[in-house]
Amino acid sequence: MNFYNLHIINDFNIKKYELLSLNEIKNKKNFILIKKKICIINEKQSLRTINTLINFFNYFNIKFTIINNKHNFKKENIKDFSKTLGILYDYLFFRSYNDIIVKLIAKFSGSIIINMLSNGYHPFQSINDIFLLNNYYIYFFGDFNSNVFKSIIINLVKINKFTIIIFSPKKFWNYIFLKKIFSKKKIIITEKIIFINKKIIIYNDVWFSMGETNFKKKINNLINFQINKKIFNILKIKKIFHCLPSYKKKKLKINSEIEECIFESNFIFFDKQIIEKVYFFKSYFFISNKTFFNFLI
């Protein structure tokens, strides 16, 4: 299930040469469009990923359908649901709460499935960001089991030119995941912040995602791993990548994973992430189906 078999379901199935190919062709500018039937299934609200995709389609006059309602797969027949989508659409951009549902729809629909986010992975975000992480040291702050953390780390390891430091509470360390990807790679996992005498990039994600509701317990576990002004006195920070808008729970009187003054500072790398994502959407279509975009010579 890689690009040349069309689907993007999770990051383990993406090959290194496919990542490099995406990065190589993303700056091609001239192309004409060939129509495909496209559907966006949006089970989870999205500010950046889905809106960037919609902006991309609108800019290039690509027609698409959006399905925002949630389907009860406990009651509905997943095979029938998948086959119906397969009859109607060529591409399904699926933002889902469930990795298993994404795999089943890919299996039974006959459509090309692109996972725009699920409870386990966030492949398009990781594909977009790994080539922007142009620093040798990358610090991950927070919950090691974040879907975007897992996706980013899997793909960084394929490129094999980064030292990854995971600054996370030990209770969030995922040893099964580590054994899959880090047998020979450079990685440091720590509960104590490590000083590095070089500029670093911090990658951060929200503490509450994919339906989590136990706010107080998680804050108690993660509060010492917050990005705040004290961190700037310890580390030489070049940029901070943050996957989602910063989530604030007013009743808890806390800025969660990142202090508001830092989130609104020039250290945050939003603009470049969003612009680059548009180019990666285009690159994906070119690689997955060369009849979608015909590049002009």
Side-chain angles (χ1 to χ4, degrees):
M1 293 180 183
N2 52 50
F3 289 170
Y4 291 105
N5 291 326
L6 307 183
H7 301 304
I8 303 178
I9 295 178
N10 64 52
D11 301 85
F12 283 112
N13 300 123
I14 303 170
K15 308 300 181 185
K16 177 180 178 180
Y17 68 88
E18 292 166 342
L19 292 173
L20 297 176
S21 297
L22 277 172
N23 192 52
E24 182 180 350
I25 70 171
K26 71 176 182 180
N27 293 320
K28 291 182 182 291
K29 302 296 183 184
N30 299 319
F31 51 84
I32 56 176
L33 301 176
I34 293 177
K35 293 181 179 179
K36 290 287 181 180
K37 294 175 289 183
I38 295 172
C39 181
I40 300 171
I41 303 177
N42 192 18
E43 289 187 348
K44 178 174 167 53
Q45 293 299 314
S46 168
L47 175 64
R48 298 182 198 164
T49 302
I50 295 297
N51 280 289
T52 304
L53 178 64
I54 291 171
N55 180 272
F56 167 79
F57 287 152
N58 287 334
Y59 184 81
F60 293 113
N61 296 315
I62 302 170
K63 292 182 179 180
F64 60 93
T65 300
I66 299 178
I67 300 176
N68 284 317
N69 58 308
K70 297 180 182 178
H71 296 269
N72 190 337
F73 292 110
K74 291 181 179 180
K75 295 181 179 180
E76 297 179 10
N77 186 306
I78 185 66
K79 290 184 180 180
D80 290 345
F81 174 79
S82 302
K83 289 177 181 178
T84 301
L85 291 174
I87 292 169
L88 296 174
Y89 302 106
D90 301 307
Y91 284 83
L92 299 175
F93 289 82
F94 199 178
R95 190 171 173 93
S96 172
Y97 284 97
N98 194 319
D99 284 298
I100 296 173
I101 295 297
V102 176
K103 290 180 180 179
L104 288 173
I105 291 175
K107 180 178 180 180
F108 296 120
S109 68
S111 301
I112 299 167
I113 309 300
I114 300 94
N115 180 359
M116 300 303 290
L117 177 136
S118 62
N119 61 318
Y121 303 95
H122 199 345
F124 236 107
Q125 184 71 44
S126 71
I127 294 167
N128 178 69
D129 285 349
I130 56 172
F131 294 103
L132 298 176
L133 299 172
N134 56 356
N135 194 286
Y136 190 72
Y137 292 95
I138 301 164
Y139 242 110
F140 289 86
F141 272 58
D143 183 357
F144 184 12
N145 294 295
S146 157
N147 50 15
V148 71
F149 276 21
K150 288 197 291 185
S151 287
I152 287 279
I153 292 167
I154 291 167
N155 285 325
L156 283 177
V157 166
K158 294 170 190 172
I159 298 176
N160 198 27
K161 60 179 181 179
F162 300 93
T163 294
I164 299 168
I165 302 171
I166 299 172
F167 181 49
S168 176
K170 194 168 186 177
K171 69 179 301 176
F172 292 122
W173 296 3
N174 188 333
Y175 292 101
I176 296 174
F177 171 73
L178 287 174
K179 288 180 180 179
K180 286 183 179 180
I181 60 173
F182 283 125
S183 58
K184 300 178 182 178
K185 307 300 180 181
K186 296 178 181 178
I187 178 172
I188 300 168
I189 309 174
T190 178
E191 287 188 297
K192 296 181 179 180
I193 199 159
I194 299 172
F195 172 75
I196 295 173
N197 194 24
K198 292 183 179 180
K199 285 195 172 183
I200 59 105
I201 288 177
I202 289 179
Y203 206 102
N204 190 229
D205 192 15
V206 292
W207 288 347
F208 311 110
S209 180
M210 304 305 291
E212 289 183 89
T213 56
N214 198 342
F215 298 110
K216 289 186 178 180
K217 184 176 180 180
K218 199 161 190 183
I219 283 178
N220 289 336
N221 290 323
L222 288 167
I223 190 60
N224 293 327
F225 300 83
Q226 183 190 53
I227 299 176
N228 51 40
K229 292 178 181 178
K230 294 179 181 177
I231 296 298
F232 280 76
N233 295 326
I234 301 171
L235 298 174
K236 297 180 178 180
I237 299 170
K238 181 178 180 181
K239 285 291 181 182
I240 298 172
F241 284 69
H242 193 286
C243 181
L244 293 169
S246 180
Y247 180 82
K248 294 191 292 184
K249 193 75 173 175
K250 292 183 178 179
K251 291 182 180 179
L252 298 175
K253 298 180 181 180
I254 190 169
N255 288 331
S256 295
E257 70 282 344
I258 185 169
E259 286 188 344
E260 188 172 358
C261 60
I262 297 174
F263 185 76
E264 296 178 353
S265 73
N266 292 331
F267 285 94
I268 296 293
F269 211 44
F270 291 155
D271 50 350
K272 187 68 172 176
Q273 283 179 287
I274 294 170
I275 293 169
E276 288 294 303
K277 194 172 288 183
V278 173
Y279 292 123
F280 271 103
F281 282 134
K282 183 184 71 174
S283 299
Y284 165 70
F285 280 119
F286 177 70
I287 286 182
S288 68
N289 188 344
K290 292 185 180 181
T291 63
F292 194 97
F293 288 123
N294 282 349
F295 282 83
L296 301 177
I297 299 175

